[in-house]
Amino acid sequence: DAGVIQSPRHEVTEMGQEVTLRCKPISGHNSLFWYRQTMMRGLELLIYFNNNVPIDDSGMPEDRFSAKMPNASFSTLKIQPSEPRDSAVYFCASRPGQGDNSPLHFGNGTRLTVT
Amino acid sequence: GDSVTQMEGPVTLSEEAFLTINCTYTATGYPSLFWYVQYPGEGLQLLLKATKADDKGSNKGFEATYRKETTSFHLEKGSVQVSDSAVYFCAALGAGSYQLTFGKGTKLSVIP
């Protein structure tokens, strides 16, 4: 099992540019989560998908952020336009189901720097 | 809503010292409890878990016991190694919930 795969590992971009982060969850996992990690705020849940459907996007900070899950094996998080305060590490995580007590499996994250 | 409180870091210990990282939670019902570890440059990895009262989770010499009476899930290790240097997160998953609630993390540094 390759685990949750995220790309790119690092992204450096200028303010105003569009940024797209990608995630491939573990095969067979029906729940997918996007988190943001910063020193100031710790881990923040941005959005949660179950069976490719967004269930809770209340953590998405602004309309500049959007996420999609076109199929069970792929999800994207897009920031357009990006701002310096978006600099953080973005994690994707998946787990087998909804409502069970199975643990989350995290990818290695994308470190985003917006200059 | 659910909340998890863990001891503030950073924590610095000498190799072979005893480790305790305190964690308490508030949740409705009986949540499942987890400890995750994050090594530099990596995502969070599950270290151990417990799903009901008095359960003890253990892995790699680390242990934590689900204490319902004190709503706690403290992480312990009898003899830490330099390779244990990482950030440790306590987390709770409410019964029937999809969302893990994480503590703020505790950075552990172990010096030779």
Side-chain angles (χ1 to χ4, degrees):
Chain A
D1 187 347
V4 176
I5 299 172
Q6 292 187 245
S7 63
R9 286 299 310 273
H10 302 274
E11 177 78 43
V12 180
T13 191
E14 292 184 348
M15 183 174 65
Q17 297 298 305
E18 177 180 298
V19 175
T20 299
L21 312 181
R22 297 172 176 79
C23 173
K24 176 178 167 51
I26 292 173
S27 177
H29 283 195
N30 296 326
S31 295
L32 183 140
F33 302 77
W34 282 99
Y35 285 88
R36 179 171 66 177
Q37 186 178 39
T38 61
M39 290 292 292
M40 292 296 293
R41 294 198 180 94
L43 269 171
E44 301 173 277
L45 177 63
L46 300 178
I47 188 168
Y48 160 59
F49 291 88
N50 189 58
N51 290 326
N52 314 337
V53 176
I55 303 299
D56 182 359
D57 65 354
S58 59
M60 297 286 262
E62 299 169 37
D63 291 346
R64 297 185 296 107
F65 286 70
S66 62
K68 295 181 180 180
M69 192 164 184
N71 57 62
S73 59
F74 185 65
S75 177
T76 59
L77 177 67
K78 184 179 293 186
I79 308 172
Q80 166 64 16
S82 58
E83 296 183 3
R85 59 195 167 117
D86 301 330
S87 298
V89 182
Y90 291 81
F91 288 103
C92 177
S94 69
R95 55 197 286 252
Q98 173 177 281
D100 60 19
N101 59 16
S102 56
L104 275 177
H105 297 258
F106 283 78
N108 282 330
T110 295
R111 181 174 294 277
L112 173 64
T113 303
V114 183
T115 61
Chain B
D2 298 350
S3 68
V4 172
T5 303
Q6 62 182 105
M7 63 187 288
E8 298 281 330
V11 174
T12 302
L13 295 173
S14 297
E15 208 165 19
E16 300 183 4
F18 185 85
L19 168 71
T20 299
I21 301 178
N22 290 339
C23 171
T24 57
Y25 66 89
T26 58
T28 53
Y30 301 106
S32 295
L33 303 173
F34 305 85
W35 276 100
Y36 281 82
V37 59
Q38 185 179 28
Y39 299 103
E42 298 184 11
L44 280 70
Q45 303 172 26
L46 178 67
L47 180 60
L48 52 85
K49 73 173 188 178
T51 57
K52 61 182 188 296
D54 301 325
D55 266 2
K56 178 186 283 187
S58 61
N59 186 25
K60 300 181 181 179
F62 291 89
E63 292 183 340
T65 301
Y66 190 144
R67 302 284 188 202
K68 184 169 70 78
E69 62 277 11
T70 55
T71 63
S72 65
F73 193 54
H74 305 322
L75 182 69
E76 296 182 337
K77 186 174 185 180
S79 175
V80 293
Q81 305 300 311
V82 172
S83 57
D84 294 327
S85 298
V87 181
Y88 292 82
F89 292 88
C90 185
L93 179 66
S97 175
Y98 62 83
Q99 184 172 345
L100 268 176
T101 300
F102 286 93
K104 291 188 180 302
T106 303
K107 183 175 182 179
L108 170 67
S109 298
V110 180
I111 56 177

